[in-house]
Amino acid sequence: MPEPKVFIGNNTVIGRRNVITAKNRISIGNDVLIGSDVQIIDHGHGMRRDVPIRLQKAEIGFIEIGDDVWIGAGAKILMNVTIGTGAVIGAYSVVTADIPDYAIAVGSPAKVVKYRT
């Protein structure tokens, strides 16, 4: 059985109607702003072709969100990603890969478009 752990740092603000679902580990740093309707999920379903999806075991990962991060409304943060210190995730973006420190990432999947100055 999973033993989920969720860590939330100091001065972090979590908006309305958010979903944080952990089967392993989700770590959210200090001074993070999370807009409304954000989903942060550290697991997913298997995708093998020879077994129906509903019968496959969950794939379990992790999520690390650094300090001073802003996650816009409606964003989705999926498993096995690290969002670096000072990063900004645009509204309704889907994060499927690591985002570097101070990067501004938008889209689905989220891509870095520039860096904070």
Side-chain angles (χ1 to χ4, degrees), residues 8 25 78 81 83 96:
I8 300 173
R25 182 177 44 83
L78 303 182
V81 300
I83 298 175
T96 61

Side-chain angles (χ1 to χ4, degrees), residues 17-117:
R17 298 177 306 274
N18 284 303
V19 175
I20 299 173
T21 307
K23 286 196 178 215
N24 181 28
R25 182 177 44 83
I26 296 173
S27 179
I28 300 170
N30 299 312
D31 300 305
V32 174
L33 299 178
I34 302 175
S36 61
D37 301 305
V38 170
Q39 294 182 13
I40 302 172
I41 305 167
D42 75 350
H43 59 279
H45 288 284
M47 302 279 274
R48 293 177 33 203
R49 292 175 59 173
D50 61 332
V51 177
I53 289 175
R54 70 177 181 82
L55 299 176
Q56 295 184 40
K57 291 184 178 181
E59 295 180 354
I60 298 173
F62 67 92
I63 294 173
E64 296 280 341
I65 299 172
D67 296 337
D68 188 31
V69 170
W70 177 17
I71 300 174
K76 311 289 187 255
I77 314 300
L78 303 182
M79 66 184 221
N80 296 331
V81 300
T82 298
I83 298 175
T85 297
V88 176
I89 308 301
Y92 299 96
S93 296
V94 179
V95 179
T96 61
D98 292 350
I99 304 298
D101 292 350
Y102 301 103
I104 299 172
V106 299
S108 179
K111 301 287 183 200
V112 175
V113 293
K114 63 182 185 176
Y115 288 81
R116 287 175 58 185
T117 56

